[in-house]
Amino acid sequence: MTAHASTTTRRTAERASARAVLTPHLLPVGGCSGKRRGSGRSGAVRAAGALGASMVTVHSGGGTGIMAAAVAAARDFPRLRVLALTVVTSMTGSDLADVGVDASTEEQVLRLGRLAHRAGCHGVIASPQEAAQLRGVLGAGSLIVTPGVTLPGEERAEHARPGTPRAAIAAGASHIVLGRSVTRAPDPVAAVRLARADLAADG
């Protein structure tokens, strides 16, 4: 999909920093045939870099090898940062238990964050509620990108571990993701202004 990106995707990447969300752990090391080394996860990362993407996502649950391969593929693109997805913001400890993970969401996020750091990833994706603990583990140089950001007074919707823009940044996030809070708002411009006001608030 990434290698055959639409004209719209290419134009977006040319005009602004584009973030590509990929799932390279679904593909074998050498591509589907095992012979084409440029295909598979490494090829997807390189395709994202060629499009001008500034961030690409890999699933930390795929293991160290997959993350390290993504990092290696990104080296040809100095602006491209590899982010490891830890635990999606809709999941709870009960959800983790359902899939056989005997840990709290915080414990699992930190475990995967350490794994991603050792694999050379430039940062991680986690909820605002784990940002502070991750910053302590990963140090000042790592990116921490937080989806699950909700506006002040907004319902948490599908996010099990939300936080406001200001709370996320105060906890150590380097980037916040404002998705449905803006795209589903009756007045998206007003929603963005509310987020900016929250970020600028004191205390």
Side-chain angles (χ1 to χ4, degrees):
M1 180 181 293
T2 307
H4 302 285
S6 67
T7 300
T8 301
T9 302
R10 291 180 184 275
R11 287 174 179 170
T12 300
E14 289 169 359
R15 294 176 183 176
S17 294
R19 173 175 174 264
V21 180
L22 309 176
T23 53
H25 77 295
L26 297 177
L27 301 173
V29 172
C32 294
S33 67
K35 298 178 181 180
R36 294 177 58 195
R37 302 293 295 183
S39 61
R41 57 181 175 252
S42 297
V45 171
R46 292 190 186 98
L51 284 172
S54 60
M55 296 179 181
V56 64
T57 301
V58 62
H59 282 269
S60 59
T64 302
I66 283 171
M67 290 187 284
V71 171
R75 290 195 183 110
D76 291 335
F77 305 93
R79 293 180 59 252
L80 186 59
R81 298 292 178 264
V82 178
L83 303 176
L85 175 64
T86 57
V87 178
V88 296
T89 60
S90 61
M91 292 191 79
T92 65
S94 179
D95 295 322
L96 289 177
D98 286 343
V99 295
V101 177
D102 185 19
S104 68
T105 52
E106 180 180 317
E107 289 169 341
Q108 183 67 355
V109 166
L110 294 178
R111 176 183 299 148
L112 294 174
R114 292 186 182 97
L115 191 68
H117 189 64
R118 289 197 297 269
C121 290
H122 303 98
V124 298
I125 299 174
S127 89
Q129 295 187 18
E130 295 94 36
Q133 293 87 346
L134 281 168
R135 182 57 69 201
V137 167
L138 302 179
S142 292
L143 301 179
I144 299 175
V145 179
T146 56
V149 170
T150 55
L151 299 176
E154 184 182 19
E155 294 289 333
R156 66 168 57 193
E158 73 276 15
H159 299 300
R161 307 180 331 270
T164 64
R166 181 159 56 95
I169 294 297
S174 58
H175 298 71
I176 61 172
V177 178
L178 283 171
R180 294 177 180 85
S181 295
V182 172
T183 60
R184 293 184 179 178
D187 186 345
V189 173
V192 171
R193 287 173 177 160
L194 180 56
R196 288 171 64 91
D198 185 59
L199 288 169
D202 295 328

